[in-house]
Amino acid sequence: MHSEVSTILTIDDETLIRESFRFYLEDCGYQVLEAENGRIGIEMIEKFRPDLVLVDLRMPEVDGLEVLQHVHKHFPELPIIVISGTGYIGDAVEAMNRGAWSYLLKPISDFNSLRYAVEHALEKARLIEENRSYREHLEEKVQQRTQALEHTNQLLRDTRMQIVLRLGKASEYRDKETGRHVIRVSCYTKILADRFGFDLQETDNMALGSALHDVGKIGISDSILLKPGKLSDEEWKKMKEHCLLGRELLQPLTRDDVAGLTGENDGTLEGIFSDSHLMQVARTIAYSHHEQWNGKGYPEGLKGEEIPIEARIVAAVDIYDAIGSKRPYKDAYPEEKCLQIMRESAGNFLDPQVVDTFFNSLDLIQQIKEKWAD
Ligand SMILES: [Fe+2]
Ligand SMILES: [Fe+2]
């Protein structure tokens, strides 16, 4: 950025002309530098970075065209005005072609035309500069905003994931399981959903949603959930209700749910009543993860492909993880036995295609089992 007073460099081999320009321009309020030929002129441009250059065409050593060329190449935004005494039209054309901003004839009979050309060129240069800095500033701003937005989005995704996993963990605590069951089920689900060809977003939704498969157990009483012995028919019926409770818990929020919260009436909470795809997937899994391929499951007794695929996947990995884990009332089955049960369940209570996919992904699944062991 230049100071308020613009500096003008005048390059001319005639001392009298340089002086007349200087007197006039200084009277106009400019600071004026002088160079007596093109070579010195170029040096002074490099050194003093004037705001505008007036240059004669015909000069010894380095002439005005060379100065033009140099400025055009190295300082494309520096206004340069050619003032020539030849009056030859070819010179004017050549000067304009080499980047002169304007062309005046010597001798200058009306100094107002010089003043006008100088003011006009300086104003144009200022606009170009302003425009460029505005554009740069704008780009920078857009970049900053985009980054901030990405950061916020990531935070929201992380927070959403944390909340879902913690809720899932809470349901497992109620059942005297460790929170790791939920993590393992979630990872296994992700592997299988991916193998089934679901896209990244759907795979993520299934993985996260599967963490909530038993969230309905939060609503089952301790006397049933923690009962050491066998459940009576009545108790078993209650226990099965965890699927329904889970679905209910994951329903979209109603006005009652948020009554009294800040923003209840000013519209800022509108968005939270909508049903997210993640919640739809989680609800389906919570409701249908005890359905069986052979139709003998609950709560609906759905059969085969009537059971939503996300529930068929979670049913398989939930069982695999349950039989391979130690619980208060039972030991963990060894891996071989678990795999045998999985094999025998294909087409029986598990979807054979899901079991196939499970065995095709066994390496990855066993890595998770080891990494997240209780
Ligand atoms: Fe369950
Ligand atoms: Fe489970």
Side-chain angles (χ1 to χ4, degrees), residues 213-214 217 242-243 286 289-290 298 318:
H213 66 277
D214 268 343
K217 282 188 178 169
H242 79 274
C243 298
H289 70 282
H290 286 293
Y298 63 90
D318 188 28

Side-chain angles (χ1 to χ4, degrees), residues 149 165 192-193 199 256 265 280 311 334 361 363:
L149 216 72
L165 286 177
L192 293 200
D199 65 25
D256 273 355
N265 294 318
Q280 290 170 25
S361 322
D363 270 4

Side-chain angles (χ1 to χ4, degrees), residues 125-176:
R126 194 182 62 77
L127 288 176
I128 290 173
E129 156 75 17
E130 213 175 78
N131 199 300
R132 201 209 31 227
S133 96
Y134 174 75
R135 249 191 354 253
E136 279 171 7
H137 193 65
L138 199 71
E139 275 164 21
E140 200 183 310
K141 263 249 142 35
V142 168
Q143 214 175 0
Q144 277 172 3
R145 290 268 163 87
T146 310
Q147 265 174 11
L149 216 72
E150 271 166 13
H151 182 68
T152 311
N153 271 339
Q154 187 59 46
L155 270 180
L156 281 173
R157 277 197 296 271
D158 290 350
T159 309
R160 186 170 84 148
M161 195 159 166
Q162 284 176 9
I163 291 172
V164 169
L165 286 177
R166 286 192 174 129
L167 189 56
K169 213 168 159 177
S171 65
E172 298 297 337
Y173 279 154
R174 289 278 287 114
D175 204 12
K176 284 265 172 82

Side-chain angles (χ1 to χ4, degrees), residues 309-363:
I309 178 66
E310 52 268 53
R312 277 180 268 151
I313 290 176
V314 175
V317 298
D318 188 28
I319 285 171
Y320 167 71
D321 196 73
I323 57 182
S325 307
K326 191 173 155 28
R327 299 276 161 93
Y329 48 88
K330 70 164 192 68
D331 274 335
Y333 284 152
E335 181 67 359
E336 255 327 297
K337 174 121 195 218
C338 294
L339 296 182
Q340 192 198 333
I341 292 173
M342 291 300 282
R343 235 174 259 124
E344 287 167 2
S345 308
N348 180 12
F349 56 89
L350 294 181
D351 176 354
Q353 215 192 330
V354 170
V355 175
D356 263 2
T357 313
F358 171 88
F359 277 102
N360 287 336
S361 322
L362 199 56
D363 270 4

